[in-house]
């Protein structure tokens, strides 16, 4: 993966008025695999009562806190808290992806999520907190292969939607994580 041109080719979309909404951020972390390929880190969220995304695959991250100077520092802090992966010491910042809008998981108020991309150059050990069930490194070649793309039936009060997703082993990557993944993969083909 050629990382030097990453930031120069990326033109992320920034949502207007994003600073007036609740903010959150996540980290997309890739590393070179032992087989020479590239892998992307996902977390499987812990299963918890009342969490609508319980058990889902996601990227580490969370809401901006008063002690966070920026959304990028929030992504770094949350990643360390959730996984023990220290992006400040062992991650190499690559780029910012486009803002996405969602809602607080307990309310209908909008929230803006900003994804940041890092190359991981540290140890393979993790230290999971109560929010994370496990960490899964998925090969980028698998994630980008057309035959691994699928649909996930998602029931809503208005009917069932067939959401795009990528299935890996017993995991399903969908929703905002899938959208971020697609932007990451699209930018990767431009490098």
């Amino acid at each position: 993966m050629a990382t030097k041109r990453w930031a120069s080719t990326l033109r992320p979309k920034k949502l207007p008025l994003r600073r007036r909404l609740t903010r959150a951020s996540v980290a997309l972390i890739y590393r070179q695999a032992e087989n020479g390929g590239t892998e992307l880190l996902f977390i499987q969220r812990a299963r918890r009562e009342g969490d609508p995304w319980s058990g889902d695959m996601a990227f580490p991250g969370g809401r901006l806190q008063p002690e966070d100077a920026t959304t990028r520092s929030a992504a770094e802090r949350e990643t360390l808290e959730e996984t023990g992966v220290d992006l400040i010491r062992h991650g190499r910042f690559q780029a910012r992806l486009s803002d996405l809008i969602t809602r607080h998981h307990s309310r209908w108020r909008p929230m803006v999520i900003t994804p940041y991309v890092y190359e991981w150059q540290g140890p393979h050990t993790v230290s999971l907190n109560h929010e994370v069930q496990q960490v899964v490194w998925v090969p980028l070649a698998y994630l980008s292969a057309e035959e691994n793309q699928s649909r996930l039936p998602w029931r809503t009060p208005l009917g069932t939607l067939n959401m795009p997703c990528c299935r890996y082993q017993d995991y399903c990557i969908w929703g905002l994580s899938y959208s971020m993944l697609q932007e990451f993969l699209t930018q990767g083909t431009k490098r």
Side-chain angles (χ1 to χ4, degrees):
M1 175 176 269
T3 58
K4 293 184 181 177
R5 292 182 293 149
W6 175 269
S8 65
T9 62
L10 186 61
R11 299 288 178 250
K13 296 178 185 103
K14 295 181 180 180
L15 295 174
L17 304 173
R18 69 187 179 280
R19 296 195 194 294
R20 296 183 180 191
L21 300 173
T22 300
R23 303 287 304 276
S25 55
V26 298
L28 281 75
I29 305 163
Y30 69 90
R31 71 177 183 190
Q32 298 307 306
E34 291 177 9
N35 66 5
T38 304
E39 300 172 314
L40 189 61
L41 181 144
F42 288 88
I43 61 169
Q44 182 180 29
R45 295 173 57 96
R47 298 185 190 285
R48 296 188 319 191
E49 187 77 29
D51 181 353
W53 298 284
S54 179
D56 281 0
M57 298 302 287
F59 297 110
R63 275 186 271 173
L64 185 71
Q65 299 297 324
E67 68 268 18
D68 297 319
T70 64
T71 51
R72 181 173 151 192
S73 59
E76 293 167 350
R77 176 187 53 76
E78 285 280 347
T79 298
L80 181 60
E81 288 175 6
E82 292 177 356
T83 66
V85 170
D86 190 341
L87 293 172
I88 295 170
R89 290 183 61 204
H90 300 291
R92 192 168 130 207
F93 174 72
Q94 298 296 306
R96 174 193 180 283
L97 298 179
S98 297
D99 290 334
L100 294 167
I101 195 153
T102 187
R103 66 175 178 86
H104 289 258
H105 76 234
S106 59
R107 304 179 208 121
W108 285 101
R109 294 170 56 203
M111 180 169 63
V112 175
I113 300 179
T114 305
Y116 293 93
V117 178
Y118 293 84
E119 180 181 12
W120 181 245
Q121 299 174 330
H124 293 343
T125 58
V126 294
S127 176
L128 306 181
N129 77 0
H130 66 280
E131 298 174 79
V132 179
Q133 186 168 322
Q134 64 182 327
V135 164
V136 180
W137 289 92
V138 182
L140 278 186
Y142 185 95
L143 293 166
S144 61
E146 185 65 35
E147 63 270 15
N148 299 323
Q149 308 313 302
S150 185
R151 295 282 175 179
L152 174 71
W154 188 52
R155 290 180 184 82
T156 73
L158 302 174
T160 300
L161 300 173
N162 284 312
M163 304 295 288
C165 68
C166 180
R167 296 181 186 277
Y168 177 72
Q169 297 175 356
D170 292 332
Y171 309 108
C172 183
I173 301 158
W174 70 289
L176 290 174
S177 297
Y178 186 80
S179 296
M180 293 172 200
L181 171 63
Q182 293 310 304
E183 182 178 10
F184 176 80
L185 292 173
T186 300
Q187 293 304 322
T189 60
K190 293 179 183 177
R191 290 174 286 193

